[in-house]
Amino acid sequence: MSDRSLRGMRLGAQSMETEAGVEPAARQRVEYRCEDGEQVFVIMAAEADIPATWMSKTGKVAKLVNGEAEPAVTNEKPVRTHWDMLLERRSMEELDTILKDRLAKLRAARGAAKAAAEAAAKS
């Protein structure tokens, strides 16, 4: 029975296709250089948009060699935070006054709750 057993390939582990006649996509070698002179070479597709900076394996920022000095400046507005929007509506003096009032209310409420808890514990 063992001489009639079927032998086959592991499914999914190996491909039956060959790479004959397959041409890889056009590529280009892009050079970046860090401030300390470290060179970084990256292989990219020929039609890819090349970034002006690249992070090297050592964690340093490398700039494109023979490329634009700085990336193009966009006319986007800077992100406004909640604090920026608050300062547009109120002055620092107003905010300080509001903070003092809120702290006084919280302390009064905390004192009343503490007094109620002490009275409940005594009875």
Side-chain angles (χ1 to χ4, degrees):
M1 192 66 134
S2 65
D3 58 336
R4 293 183 359 188
S5 65
L6 295 175
R7 294 186 184 213
M9 293 184 56
R10 297 174 298 246
L11 293 177
Q14 297 173 341
S15 174
M16 298 298 288
E17 295 182 20
T18 62
E19 293 190 15
V22 177
E23 294 183 24
R27 295 181 243 169
Q28 61 180 334
R29 185 176 181 199
V30 182
E31 181 183 357
Y32 291 91
R33 193 167 292 143
C34 296
E35 294 287 327
D36 62 355
E38 177 185 356
Q39 291 180 325
V40 179
F41 295 100
V42 182
I43 305 296
M44 296 188 184
E47 65 270 359
D49 293 331
I50 301 172
T53 59
W54 190 267
M55 186 69 66
S56 71
K57 290 181 181 179
T58 57
K60 301 172 193 167
V61 176
K63 293 183 181 177
L64 181 64
V65 175
N66 298 330
E68 294 180 16
E70 291 293 322
V73 178
T74 60
N75 292 334
E76 295 179 15
K77 289 183 176 180
V79 178
R80 286 183 3 190
T81 63
H82 294 293
W83 180 250
D84 295 333
M85 290 184 255
L86 183 64
L87 288 178
E88 290 174 3
R89 291 181 276 139
R90 308 238 186 218
S91 67
M92 287 301 290
E93 293 80 21
E94 286 178 293
L95 291 173
D96 194 34
T97 304
I98 292 170
L99 175 65
K100 288 178 183 175
D101 291 343
R102 295 302 298 167
L103 286 174
K105 286 182 183 179
L106 286 172
R107 288 177 180 138
R110 189 178 300 149
K114 187 177 181 181
E118 288 174 358
K122 289 181 182 179
S123 57

